[in-house]
Amino acid sequence: MPGENLSRDEAHERAALLSVDGYEVALDLRSAVGESTEAVRTFRSVTTIRFRRTGDGDTTFADLVAPSVTAVTLNGRELDPAVVFDGARIALDGLADENVLVVDAQCAYSRTGEGMHRFVDPEDGEVYLYTQYEPADARRVYANFEQPDLKAPYRFEVTAPDAWTVWSNGAGERGADGVWRFAETAPISTYITCVVAGPYHYVTDTYRRGDVEIPLGAMCRKGLARHFDADDVFLITKQGFDFFHDNFDYPYPFGKYDQAFVPEYNLGAMENPGMVTFTEEYIHRGKVTQAAYERRANTILHEMAHMWFGDLVTMAWWDDLWLKESFADFMGSFSLAEATRFTDSWVTFANNRKAWAYRADQLPSTHPITADIHDLEDAKLNFDGITYAKGASVLKQLVAYAGRDAFLEGARRYFKRHAYGNTRLNDLLSVLEETSGRDMKAWSKSWLQTSGVNVLAPEVTYDAEGRVTELAVLQEGAELRPHRIAVGLYRLTDGALVRYARVETDVAGPRTVVDGLAGSERPDLILVNDDDLTYCKVRFDERSLDTLREHLGSITDPLARALCWSALWNLTRDGLMPARDFVAAVLAFAGRETDIGVLQMVHAWARTAVTHYAAPAWRAEGGRQLAEGGLRELRLAEPGSEHQLTWARFLAATASSDADLQLLEGLLAGTARIDGLDVDQELRWALLSPLAEYGRADETRIDEELARDDTASGKRHQVRLLAARPSAAVKAQAWAQVVESDTLSNALVSAVIAGFAQPSQRELTAPYAEKYFAAIERIWAERSIQIGMTVVRGLFPAHQDRPETLAATDAWLKEHADAAPALRRLVLESRDDLARALRAQECDALED
């Protein structure tokens, strides 16, 4: 990986030297099908780059990661590939004012989801291709200048097997010679160019509004066609275009709009203009809840927002990644709430997305939203909860601070002023200052250029009659920021916890007195940051915390209830509330939670509480209580409801007793039945998982299930369950598959790791802690960055949660001070999670 890195300084120097007029890229993908005798299966890539020298100097380099280069020609002069190509760069000298570079290379198909990914469908043997580049993997498919500020128009042509269809960013068609040729794109960055090819199932529609007409397409593998609800995809797409056209006053600028749902995808989606790619996990093979459809809709709108924030106007370097990701994350929820059926999307945002941000912002690797990105490895790791969810949270607060109209008018001016160009932080701040009249530089310094999360807590006094005399908000944190918040007062009325007073105010400094609440009746609950206007962790006064322990499920407002669940979880993570108290709240109130997305998040938190934060002596009892509560709520849930399905999956995730496992066996065999519960194939795999983990489903039984579901999804489940079996030999085989071999695809690597690391098998995996630290530097050096990240994160011995593991981690960090910074960051983050778990366990042990 180090040889493939590109530094910010190198990118700046190259951008100062040259500008690019255009690319012509010809790919021959016929080698994707049939048998291959090559050690690495390759395809031919011929690239012509026309560029001008605009600065001083006559030497530079082009980027290409490929097994071999056949020919390089610069301005008609042949260069020796053996001399100028080092495996990652092509050295160029003797530049003229106007230049033409032609590179003929053999590029490799990918099994890691980076570059030109090749997938063979186990169901029918069909081959499917797609590209994924961000931040810098276009160079695995064609020679280029791989940095976001060297935008250019592209012309692609692709030769493919006769039975295939090919798509790219622009509209295309197959010529009489069998070659697919695509319309020239607008000026775009390398990382958002795209090619999708194969026998995909393809559905079309059209978006029409006034004079605007946009051809729409949606595609998936043929094996998923029977599950593909393209009508709903098109519905959300059209609603999104309505919203963005209404609010951005800049028509969609990239012609057609195709959306491909592709296999073995590392991300949720990618905003390639005109050719958006998504993980095919968004195509549901069985019954799912509305939360799953909401997640997909949010992702569709997130990627659509990128057509303006990111594609039309692009950050100059990865320092300002937030200029596209924070905005797209915010606009996804914003448009979801205002333009679709998912009107409670801000509840999901508060409960789910912000939890990701809070965790990331408390890691040792936390960074300002505008980050300091030295190179591509830094960039790869900064697609994180800060860049996405914290950035979106801060923008949500900015709307409250500057006003909705000023914010949207700022966006409109930003697009028109910088269309097809590259920007930095100050370019956005200047238009927002124009439209809002606010000092955006001071706001930016506090919110975008510092790291960490503030804690806000109420401080209240009462008179002899129990009325509020003063309510203040206390702020903690290394950087005390200005916050626009609402403070809500709640009381119990006829068994319901309802808000009876609300004040919106600005908070600054360590203590802010809130005007407008003096004289109010004593509240049962004070909720700081009611309505979730700002980004902060919330604490409670003693009376409020007691109220939540007894009446959390009685809060009638779903957003307020979600904020309280989130606050209790943060208390648990911070070692201020015993894990068993959080579990008690889940058992008492989760059955009354009406928002299915919140319920699923609470379920995940409860499992984490028992697995990582509970005192080891209470861990088994906590697991038993969760499973018992899960079964109780499953039987109480309305037959056929999404709550019933969610509780069934929770039971499958927590079952460990003989009685529970026997029930799961009965549900699989059809000898047990729960009224209304449809045990479809995806639920079957979920029910089979604990049976494999606890040794009640052997290899034969798992293979029998694969025979029922001999698909790509079924194969991933089978691989995961085989690795989950409680056997030393099984763990050794799984370890070897991931650490000692690189033959598995990215999806199967993740599946093996998920099966290997079972919390109930701590003793079995204990020997691998030492092996982990011995292997990770080699893994980082030998594998692609995506696989390296998956292995380093996934195999960290998190279940060996004892001080000895913490000491071993510290020893590795001390002994490997010169290891790759990105690798050290991953280990530091895992160390922090482990240390947090140990602190939480100490808190919980005080209850013994």
Side-chain angles (χ1 to χ4, degrees), residues 557-735:
D557 179 70
L559 178 55
R561 198 168 57 245
L563 291 171
C564 289
W565 276 119
S566 177
L568 292 183
W569 178 239
N570 280 321
L571 287 169
T572 306
R573 289 190 76 246
D574 292 346
L576 300 175
M577 171 182 278
R580 66 192 69 187
D581 286 6
F582 185 81
V583 169
V586 172
L587 295 172
F589 305 119
R592 299 173 60 182
E593 180 54 60
T594 58
D595 187 293
I596 200 68
V598 172
L599 177 60
Q600 290 170 345
M601 198 71 196
V602 168
H603 281 172
W605 289 340
R607 296 197 304 272
T608 300
V610 169
T611 300
H612 294 292
Y613 298 158
W618 188 78
R619 194 177 284 147
E621 173 61 18
R624 185 196 65 77
Q625 289 185 17
L626 288 182
E628 183 181 89
L631 179 57
R632 180 182 67 250
E633 297 297 341
L634 171 60
R635 296 193 184 280
L636 290 173
E638 179 184 347
S641 67
E642 60 182 5
H643 280 74
Q644 184 189 55
L645 175 61
T646 299
W647 283 107
R649 290 186 170 277
F650 183 68
L651 176 61
T654 55
S656 62
S657 70
D658 284 344
D660 289 340
L661 296 174
Q662 286 172 11
L663 173 61
L664 302 188
E665 289 171 332
L667 290 171
L668 285 167
T671 58
R673 187 171 181 274
I674 294 175
D675 187 30
L677 184 65
D678 179 16
V679 183
D680 60 29
Q681 188 57 62
E682 282 299 302
L683 184 55
R684 288 184 65 85
W685 284 114
L687 299 176
L688 188 60
S689 294
L691 300 180
E693 178 184 349
Y694 288 99
R696 296 176 75 117
D698 60 12
E699 182 174 2
T700 299
R701 174 65 187 87
I702 296 168
D703 288 346
E704 288 173 355
E705 199 64 32
L706 178 63
R708 290 178 57 107
D709 183 28
D710 193 8
T711 64
S713 296
K715 182 62 177 177
R716 290 196 301 275
H717 287 306
Q718 180 232 18
V719 167
R720 174 175 56 83
L721 266 59
L722 288 175
R725 292 170 295 156
S727 156
V730 164
K731 300 305 173 186
Q733 181 184 30
W735 180 268

Side-chain angles (χ1 to χ4, degrees), residues 114-377:
E114 301 153 295
M116 179 70 74
H117 188 79
R118 178 178 180 270
F119 173 79
V120 182
D121 192 333
E123 190 172 3
D124 56 18
E126 295 279 17
V127 176
Y128 295 87
L129 303 179
Y130 64 85
T131 59
Q132 172 57 36
Y133 298 148
E134 192 175 39
D137 286 319
R139 57 194 170 144
R140 298 182 185 276
V141 175
Y142 60 92
N144 59 53
F145 299 116
E146 188 84 277
Q147 57 192 78
D149 59 345
L150 289 178
K151 284 183 160 184
Y154 291 78
R155 287 186 180 273
F156 284 93
E157 64 177 50
V158 179
T159 306
D162 291 340
W164 281 17
T165 305
V166 184
W167 295 265
S168 186
N169 303 91
E173 60 181 6
R174 173 177 266 161
D177 57 357
V179 177
W180 290 84
R181 293 179 176 85
F182 296 90
E184 184 175 78
T185 71
I188 57 176
S189 301
T190 54
Y191 75 91
I192 50 176
T193 58
C194 183
V195 171
V196 175
Y200 285 89
H201 169 72
Y202 185 58
V203 185
T204 62
D205 201 339
T206 304
Y207 170 82
R208 293 183 177 89
R209 177 175 172 146
D211 295 333
V212 176
E213 184 171 301
I214 303 171
L216 306 178
M219 68 196 78
C220 67
R221 289 185 295 115
K222 292 191 295 185
L224 285 175
R226 64 187 181 276
H227 305 293
F228 191 27
D229 52 340
D231 287 347
D232 192 52
V233 171
F234 287 139
L235 172 64
I236 299 298
T237 301
K238 292 175 183 179
Q239 290 170 332
F241 273 130
D242 280 344
F243 178 87
F244 292 123
H245 283 137
D246 282 342
N247 287 284
F248 287 171
D249 191 32
Y250 196 110
Y252 169 69
F254 297 110
K256 71 178 180 71
Y257 199 76
D258 283 321
Q259 297 174 95
F261 294 79
V262 298
E264 297 189 327
Y265 204 52
N266 288 323
L267 311 175
M270 184 64 209
E271 68 268 19
N272 315 303
M275 186 65 259
V276 183
T277 43
F278 298 83
T279 173
E280 68 179 20
E281 298 303 306
Y282 283 129
I283 298 176
H284 307 300
R285 302 194 313 146
K287 182 178 179 179
V288 296
T289 67
Q290 282 302 302
Y293 290 106
E294 181 183 340
R295 281 192 292 273
R296 182 177 70 185
N298 185 292
T299 304
I300 289 171
L301 296 175
H302 175 115
E303 302 310 319
M304 186 178 290
H306 273 311
M307 299 301 117
W308 291 267
F309 284 110
D311 294 359
L312 177 67
V313 183
T314 311
M315 70 275 153
W317 177 247
W318 301 101
D319 292 344
D320 284 312
L321 176 62
W322 80 282
L323 280 173
K324 72 184 189 76
E325 294 302 347
S326 298
F327 275 87
D329 215 48
F330 169 74
M331 295 306 301
S333 293
F334 188 19
S335 58
L336 200 63
E338 300 212 354
T340 76
R341 65 186 182 272
F342 302 107
T343 55
D344 287 336
S345 64
W346 288 122
V347 176
T348 304
F349 181 84
N351 189 250
N352 186 305
R353 299 299 283 180
K354 291 182 86 168
W356 181 29
Y358 294 143
R359 175 188 176 272
D361 214 7
Q362 295 174 86
L363 290 170
S365 57
T366 186
H367 56 85
I369 293 171
T370 54
D372 185 18
I373 303 299
H374 295 96
D375 54 35
L376 292 178
E377 287 192 10

Side-chain angles (χ1 to χ4, degrees), residues 780-791:
W780 193 258
E782 294 177 353
R783 308 292 178 87
S784 73
I785 189 168
Q786 182 64 48
I787 296 297
M789 288 166 59
T790 300
V791 173

Side-chain angles (χ1 to χ4, degrees), residues 23 105 122 176 212 221 272 399 426 435 533 541 546 558 671 718 756:
Y23 286 83
V212 176
R221 289 185 295 115
N272 315 303
V399 172
N426 287 337
T435 58
L533 298 184
D541 62 296
D546 288 343
T671 58
Q718 180 232 18
F756 177 87

